[in-house]
Amino acid sequence: MFDFLDSGQYDLLGAFWVTAQLALYSALGSLIWGTALVAMRVSPVPLMRGFATAYVNVVRNTPLTVVLVACLLGLNQTLGVSLGADRSENIGFRLAVLGLVAYTGTFVCEALRSGINTVPPGQAEAARALGLSFTQVLRLVVLPQAFRAAVTPLANVLIALTKNTTVAAAIGAAETSLLMKTMMENETDALFTVFAIFAFGFIVLTLPTGLVLGWAAKRLAVKR
Amino acid sequence: MSSVLYDTPGPRAKRRNVVYTIVFLAVLALVAWWVLGALDEKHQLDADKWSPFVTDSKVWTTYLLPGLTETLRAAALSIVIALPLGAALGIGRLSDHRWVRVPVGAVVEFFRAIPVLLLMMFASAVYREFTTVSSDFRPLYAVVTGLVLYNASVIAEVVRAGVLSLPRGQGDAAVALGMRKGQTMLYVLLPQAVTVMLPALVSQLVVIVKDTALGGALLGFAELLSQNRQITANYGANTIATLTVIALIYIAINFLLTTLAGRLERRLRQGRKSPSATIPAQAGAPEAKSEAVSGA
């Protein structure tokens, strides 16, 4: 039943490793980009607020597939941006990380904004009364509490991101869904086994994230 | 002022904000200048690459509109099938019988953990091997199947949360009146839960519309995004123009749906005494709850 796995024809672990790397780099990038976006979104400078709001509304409503395809056809094939990669599969990977960061950052921004909204206004008012500037209020008082309140929505964003890495197959990153497609075309008599393997792989990837972050959300919640 | 995060700007802060605005504007302009310059160098800004979308109605009637129809058809089919299925799964998960509750819960959790693209690919392979669905319709079937399986399980969770959010007294009162369990659910709990769930369901529609594009990129489904290949082949490699127009169509549809969901949520909140009476949107679409702090 599993004999096609022994043939050495398919690099299952390699594909899942690419997926995990995609998820990890994109998660780091989108956390940073999302934080920057939310900082702009609540900032006193109207232009930054407008930019962040417009960016979030536009990118959030664009399908991720369109974002990634635009990265490949637009950035790479039309403009010649390759992000310092020389081999074609590397280009796919790096462009996928870029697209995933651009897309997921908007959801991180929204999650953090809902986190900021849970911080009682008195906290920011007290910080201002102490004479802290906007960046100090945000950095020292509001965002630390917002992050702790936003662990659950952020966990959902990260799980969705892990699943969204499969879309990178659309621009040729050698990750799991591309391998599954090949395997399903070749191993037609073992369709259900192949699907079960990949389903199991993703459950292994997403379930611990949910459990750990669910536990973290309880631990970190600000007791009021 | 609009925000509790910063003081009303005085003369110095105003001056500083002006400086920040100018710097930010300069950075934006620099990026725009670089992008537009690079696009111009590759002749992507030439008028003849963009003009077909305004002057030539054939682009719309042969490519974009049929693609949009396919996108909307797949989305509509998915939501129409996923809604009753999701409601059934959600109610099943609330069942008093362990032998219903546990397997339904396992099914829901399973399909929520699998990427929707894998479900579509699997469905496509299954239709290819085990059914006689012609290859013209197979992509549509595969896309709809994948979307139904995933979204039904998401909707199941929305329904469950909606029913659980109702005050206990509602169910107790129905039981006290002598209603059966089925009647309690059908006549008392579900009608109230539906109004609570409405914003989350509309937000889920956005997810469905966005996910149809997966079928276009990887399964040969002739939806809106996949038309970009045909158009760029026939209208002189106008990649950027075509992708921009396609993205704008998606954004317009989804922005309408998002706005509708926000409106519904606000209206529902106004109509109730308890403040947090709606179910938050699920699966990668976390909606901000209130606009109290954000200045936007």
Coordinates of all heavy atoms in Angstrom, one line a residue, chain A residues 13 24 30 53 61 86 91 93 108 134 140 146 154 166 183 194 215:
Chain A
L13 N 9.3 14.4 2.8 CA 9.8 15.3 3.9 C 10.3 16.6 3.4 O 10.1 17.6 4.0 CB 10.8 14.5 4.7 CG 10.3 13.4 5.6 CD1 11.4 12.7 6.3 CD2 9.3 14.0 6.7
L24 N 7.3 29.7 8.2 CA 8.1 30.3 9.2 C 8.5 31.7 8.8 O 8.3 32.7 9.5 CB 9.3 29.5 9.5 CG 10.0 29.8 10.9 CD1 9.0 29.4 12.0 CD2 11.3 29.0 11.0
S30 N 5.3 38.7 8.2 CA 3.9 39.3 8.3 C 3.7 39.9 9.7 O 2.9 40.8 9.8 CB 2.9 38.3 7.9 OG 3.0 37.1 8.6
T53 N -4.9 52.2 5.9 CA -6.3 51.8 5.8 C -6.5 51.3 4.3 O -7.1 50.3 4.1 CB -7.2 52.9 6.1 OG1 -6.8 53.5 7.4 CG2 -8.7 52.5 6.2
N61 N -8.9 42.2 0.4 CA -10.0 41.8 -0.5 C -9.5 41.2 -1.8 O -10.3 40.9 -2.7 CB -10.9 43.0 -0.8 CG -11.8 43.3 0.4 OD1 -12.3 42.4 1.1 ND2 -12.0 44.6 0.7
D86 N 18.9 32.8 -7.9 CA 19.3 32.5 -9.3 C 18.5 31.3 -9.9 O 18.3 31.4 -11.0 CB 20.8 32.3 -9.3 CG 21.3 31.5 -8.0 OD1 20.4 31.1 -7.3 OD2 22.5 31.4 -7.8
I91 N 13.4 31.4 -6.8 CA 12.7 32.6 -7.1 C 11.2 32.4 -6.7 O 10.7 33.3 -6.0 CB 12.8 32.9 -8.6 CG1 14.2 33.3 -9.0 CG2 11.8 34.0 -9.0 CD1 14.4 33.5 -10.5
F93 N 10.1 30.5 -4.4 CA 10.0 30.5 -2.9 C 10.1 31.9 -2.4 O 9.2 32.3 -1.6 CB 11.2 29.6 -2.4 CG 11.2 29.5 -0.9 CD1 10.5 28.5 -0.2 CD2 11.9 30.4 -0.1 CE1 10.5 28.4 1.2 CE2 12.0 30.3 1.3 CZ 11.2 29.3 1.9
V108 N -2.8 40.3 10.2 CA -2.1 40.6 11.4 C -2.5 42.0 11.9 O -2.8 42.2 13.1 CB -0.6 40.4 11.3 CG1 0.1 40.9 12.5 CG2 -0.2 39.0 11.0
F134 N 3.6 59.6 21.4 CA 2.8 58.6 20.8 C 3.5 57.3 20.6 O 3.0 56.2 20.9 CB 2.3 59.1 19.4 CG 1.7 58.0 18.5 CD1 0.5 57.5 18.9 CD2 2.4 57.5 17.5 CE1 -0.1 56.5 18.1 CE2 1.9 56.5 16.7 CZ 0.6 56.0 17.0
L140 N 5.4 51.1 24.7 CA 5.6 50.7 26.1 C 4.4 50.3 26.8 O 4.4 49.5 27.7 CB 6.3 51.8 26.9 CG 7.7 52.3 26.4 CD1 8.1 53.5 27.1 CD2 8.7 51.2 26.5
A146 N -1.8 44.8 23.8 CA -2.6 44.4 22.6 C -2.2 43.1 22.1 O -3.0 42.2 21.8 CB -2.5 45.5 21.5
L154 N -4.3 36.1 16.4 CA -3.1 35.9 15.7 C -2.8 34.4 15.5 O -2.3 34.1 14.4 CB -1.9 36.5 16.5 CG -1.7 38.0 16.5 CD1 -0.6 38.4 17.4 CD2 -1.5 38.5 15.1
T166 N 0.1 26.5 0.7 CA -0.1 25.7 -0.5 C -0.3 26.4 -1.7 O 0.0 25.9 -2.8 CB -1.3 24.8 -0.2 OG1 -2.4 25.6 0.2 CG2 -1.0 23.7 0.8
M183 N 1.8 13.4 -7.3 CA 1.6 12.0 -6.8 C 0.2 11.5 -7.2 O 0.0 10.3 -7.5 CB 1.8 12.0 -5.3 CG 3.2 12.0 -4.9 SD 3.5 12.1 -3.1 CE 3.2 10.4 -2.6
V194 N -2.6 8.6 -0.6 CA -1.8 9.9 -0.8 C -2.5 11.0 -0.1 O -1.9 11.8 0.7 CB -1.8 10.2 -2.3 CG1 -1.2 11.6 -2.5 CG2 -0.9 9.1 -3.0
W215 N -3.0 27.7 24.6 CA -2.5 27.6 26.0 C -1.8 29.0 26.3 O -2.0 29.6 27.4 CB -1.4 26.5 26.1 CG -0.6 26.5 27.4 CD1 -1.1 26.0 28.6 CD2 0.7 27.0 27.5 NE1 -0.1 26.2 29.5 CE2 1.0 26.8 28.9 CE3 1.6 27.6 26.7 CZ2 2.3 27.1 29.4 CZ3 2.9 27.9 27.2 CH2 3.2 27.7 28.5

